[in-house]
């Protein structure tokens, strides 16, 4: 498959890790096209979907991993910025997907798993360990850094929220693009709806971002983790600590 864009950068995330806000900063660039969670359409809507969480969407029944890659590769902007959950494409990995990963710049964003789980609770949602996303982050991390031997580029979510200009400067330097001050603010906070095909879900999952005009500082999170989720959070903490060693 011929890649048309001069540079493709992927940001691999787990849910509730501030990835939408980070994506929003790149949507403010004049030289960038955004592809929002293309592999989520495979994971939630295709014939081979792994979850029924988001309901049915008939138009996506035949969407597959190659369709997601084509949606990315067909962009013609100087920079294509892809934000997706690391666990979405993992059930569908094949040689074409790994060849695609090898042809782009892969980066990661993480947040402390206790805060991530608390964020799920506030939405009245309770993820499976797969959907919690840290196991997928680790798998994708190993593919990118060990199999493909790419350098680790990581954003820590709260560090980004405390010092967005500093973190974005360093991130842009790492991926080989210029930082632009306009990345730090916006008038319209909405993103492409991605895998959420109804306004209610969109508003629920993106409430904080939708009410923003820039990156908001982190707030103190106090939430007791349910006993059934303690082991999930503990395992995720090891992933978080491993990746944070490389945070920009």
């Amino acid at each position: 498959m011929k890649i048309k864009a001069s540079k493709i950068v992927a940001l691999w995330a787990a849910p509730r890790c501030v990835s939408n806000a980070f994506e929003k900063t790149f949507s403010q660039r004049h030289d960038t096209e955004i592809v929002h969670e293309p592999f989520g359409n495979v994971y939630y809507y295709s014939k081979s979907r792994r979850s029924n969480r988001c309901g049915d969407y008939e138009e996506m029944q035949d969407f597959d991993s190659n369709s997601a890659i084509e949606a990315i590769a067909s962009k013609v902007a100087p920079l294509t910025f892809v934000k997706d959950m690391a666990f979405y494409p993992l059930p569908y990995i094949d040689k074409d997907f790994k060849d695609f990963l090898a042809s782009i710049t892969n980066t990661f964003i993480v947040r402390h798993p206790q805060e991530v789980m608390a964020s799920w609770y506030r939405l009245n949602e309770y993820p499976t360990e797969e959907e919690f996303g840290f196991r997928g982050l680790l798998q994708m991390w190993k593919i990118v850094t060990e199999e493909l031997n790419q350098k680790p580029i990581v954003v820590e979510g709260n560090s980004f929220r405390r010092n967005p200009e500093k973190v974005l400067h360093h991130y842009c330097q790492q991926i080989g693009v210029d930082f632009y001050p306009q990345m730090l603010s916006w008038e319209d906070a909405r993103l492409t709806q991605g895998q959420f095909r109804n306004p209610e879900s969109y508003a629920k999952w993106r409430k904080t971002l939708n009410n923003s005009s820039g990156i908001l500082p982190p707030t103190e999170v106090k939430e007791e983790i349910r006993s059934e989720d303690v082991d999930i959070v503990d395992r995720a903490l090891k992933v978080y600590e491993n990746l944070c060693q490389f945070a920009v």
Side-chain angles (χ1 to χ4, degrees), residues 66-119:
N66 285 333
S67 303
I69 293 172
E70 178 59 35
I72 298 165
S74 62
K75 301 300 182 183
V76 295
L79 174 62
T80 297
F81 188 85
V82 186
K83 195 277 287 191
D84 220 329
M85 299 300 138
F87 70 91
Y88 285 165
L90 290 175
Y92 317 103
I93 279 184
D94 57 15
K95 184 180 182 301
D96 287 342
F97 179 74
K98 288 191 176 181
D99 286 347
F100 168 71
L101 287 181
S103 73
I104 69 174
T105 300
N106 295 281
T107 69
F108 300 83
I109 188 166
V110 292
R111 184 185 181 192
H112 197 288
Q114 287 187 334
E115 296 186 13
V116 171
M117 188 63 81
S119 184

Side-chain angles (χ1 to χ4, degrees), residues 197-213:
R197 302 294 172 178
N198 64 75
E200 182 179 347
S201 289
Y202 178 87
K204 174 181 176 180
W205 286 85
R206 302 199 182 130
K207 181 178 179 180
T208 300
L209 178 61
N210 288 348
N211 292 329
S212 73
S213 58

Side-chain angles (χ1 to χ4, degrees), residues 188-203:
D188 184 353
R190 291 173 296 176
L191 293 172
T192 303
Q193 288 198 15
Q195 79 269 26
F196 296 115
R197 302 294 172 178
N198 64 75
E200 182 179 347
S201 289
Y202 178 87

